[in-house]
DNA sequence: GGGCTCGTAGTCAAGTTTGACTACAGAGCT
DNA sequence: AGCTCTGTAGTCAAACTTGACTACGAGCCC
């Protein structure tokens, strides 16, 4: 399923009502095609599928102003909002959801309350530790790890990514604890479509104290 | 395409001739279902598809000893071997191939020569640096990074994974440079199906000097 | 000796993803 | 006028993935 449903639901939600091409543009603006499978085909498919499943409501519209085929506009339903929140929470808390879901969830995390985000991230760290332990145990049977040979590098890779993933998560936890960003119920929300002004001292791209390397 | 073709081609190659269920078992033994999409359906599909494309040659066999439907056995062709090597090299050298392709490629890396593996890993590090630079530049336009708000965390995530990915790769380079494992043309090869004995001082599961955390 | 589970081997439909393609309007050039 | 280029909006077939399902033999258990 990947991250596309989360992305599309979130984009529709922010717009209130939107047609496929707008979603497509938003996702491209967010750079989502770089770190997820947000390609046109997938987006239109997700819209149709989720409309069929009652997560979105579809409105057929007249052939529109600027040329092209007739458009369909979508609005998120109540069930869609529930699904959106579920995917959002899963993306933050569960490493199994994959890095693209995490990235997408980061983009929408401010729609939750600060305290909940911190809980979810704590759960993420815990899940990573559990997984790390499972990997090392599974691949270190009675005979000892020596017999694995170069195959052991695969395990090494996964352990390394669990460790660095947890490290990154703790960095984010620190920033959020220290008051970074504006979460739900904390004043005017950050709309992900260029906010005009609003200096945020925690914006990244510059090195945060405590970050890795 | 993911890693499944690499895994299936490599497994068939190591067996010389194998039917679907053997491949399936090998991949499960390697734990591949944990870190890739190596599920039965995908495996059988990949076998058929690659047979159709001339990467594998299919032999229909009698209904076999132990119950069940008639089996099909596969052998790798010359074009299949080429494809296997191409996927293997891409998995090692190109981060775009994804972590599952990297993991799969690690399992087969000893089928290449040591010098080439080192070259490929060097290219991987270079590609990660290029990507890192592209991300930071793209997301740090004239207005400065402040206006990104929490969206900047997405960039932060990708930069972090590029950095830690490069760090891990350099660790592997070090081990391979120091003589770990037995590569092509260096004596009896390591067969990935339980080798019986053969202590390898570089087997992992224990911490390597120079590893992260 | 009937039923149960386990291991062997694979199929199938439904859903997803991909990349190439269609179709139209308006702008700009010659 | 005629032509191409760009932007808008979306479709389509082919491939891939998933999870549930089929089918059959052998061992075992009471």
């Amino acid at each position: 399923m990947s991250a596309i449903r989360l992305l599309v639901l979130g984009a529709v939600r922010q717009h209130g009502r939107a047609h496929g091409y707008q979603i497509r543009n938003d996702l491209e603006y967010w750079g989502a095609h770089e770190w997820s499978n947000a390609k046109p085909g997938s987006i239109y498919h997700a819209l149709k599928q989720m409309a069929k499943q009652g997560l979105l409501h579809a409105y057929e519209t007249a052939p529109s102003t600027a040329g092209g085929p007739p458009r369909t506009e979508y609005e998120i339903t109540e069930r869609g909002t529930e699904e959106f929140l579920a995917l959002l929470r899963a993306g933050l808390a569960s490493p199994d959801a994959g890095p693209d879901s995490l990235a997408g969830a980061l983009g929408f995390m401010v729609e939750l309350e600060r305290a909940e985000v911190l809980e979810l991230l704590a759960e993420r760290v815990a899940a990573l530790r559990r997984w790390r332990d499972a990997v090392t145990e599974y691949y270190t049977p009675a005979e000892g790890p020596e017999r694995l040979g170069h195959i052991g590098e695969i395990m090494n890779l996964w352990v390394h990514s669990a460790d660095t993933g947890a490290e990154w998560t703790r960095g984010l936890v620190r920033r959020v604890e220290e008051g970074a960003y504006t979460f739900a119920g904390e004043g005017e929300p950050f709309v992900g479509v260029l906010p005009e002004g609003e200096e945020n001292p925690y914006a990244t791209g510059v090195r945060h104290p405590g970050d890795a390397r």
Side-chain angles (χ1 to χ4, degrees), chain A:
Chain A
M1 187 168 314
S2 80
I4 197 129
R5 291 169 93 94
L6 172 60
L7 257 8
V8 169
L9 282 174
V12 171
R13 206 171 102 104
Q14 285 198 345
H15 273 283
R17 181 193 273 235
H19 54 91
Y21 194 67
Q22 283 180 313
I23 305 303
R24 190 174 158 178
N25 273 354
D26 270 30
L27 297 193
E28 187 161 0
Y29 172 65
W30 301 343
H33 55 291
E34 302 264 9
W35 43 264
S36 78
N37 55 339
K39 298 178 181 67
S42 303
I43 293 168
Y44 286 111
H45 172 72
L47 284 168
K48 281 184 184 163
Q49 202 63 22
M50 293 195 296
K52 207 160 67 181
Q53 294 170 357
L55 306 182
L56 295 175
H57 190 86
Y59 300 90
E60 307 290 336
T61 324
S64 98
T65 45
R71 301 179 303 183
T72 310
E73 296 194 322
Y74 297 91
E75 251 174 27
I76 195 165
T77 65
E78 203 152 333
R79 294 207 26 246
T81 303
E82 281 169 35
E83 175 77 356
F84 168 72
L85 292 173
L87 289 173
L88 175 51
R89 292 180 173 119
L92 289 174
S94 164
D96 302 353
D100 47 350
S101 285
L102 172 57
L106 285 177
F108 297 120
M109 67 176 170
V110 294
E111 317 248 337
L112 299 174
E113 288 179 12
R114 189 180 297 268
E116 185 179 7
V117 168
L118 287 171
E119 265 173 51
L120 292 166
L121 293 176
E123 165 55 22
R124 182 183 194 84
V125 171
L128 284 167
R129 152 143 268 109
R130 284 197 299 277
W131 186 53
R132 190 218 142 94
D133 291 350
V135 171
T136 51
E137 253 172 72
Y138 178 70
Y139 278 101
T140 312
E143 308 97 345
E146 293 77 22
R147 63 183 323 163
L148 283 174
H150 70 280
I151 297 293
E153 287 292 349
I154 297 176
M155 183 185 84
N156 189 277
L157 170 62
W158 291 112
V159 169
H160 187 267
S161 34
D163 287 346
T164 56
E167 190 188 346
W168 179 85
T169 306
R170 282 190 293 265
L172 176 58
V173 165
R174 226 174 292 131
R175 296 192 282 285
V176 172
E177 276 175 349
E178 286 168 4
Y181 316 123
T182 305
F183 287 82
E186 299 182 347
E188 82 271 31
F190 181 103
V191 254
V193 200
L194 286 177
E196 238 56 12
E198 285 291 323
E199 306 278 320
N200 187 322
Y202 285 92
T204 114
V206 283
R207 184 100 20 257
H208 300 293
D211 264 10
R213 302 194 14 110

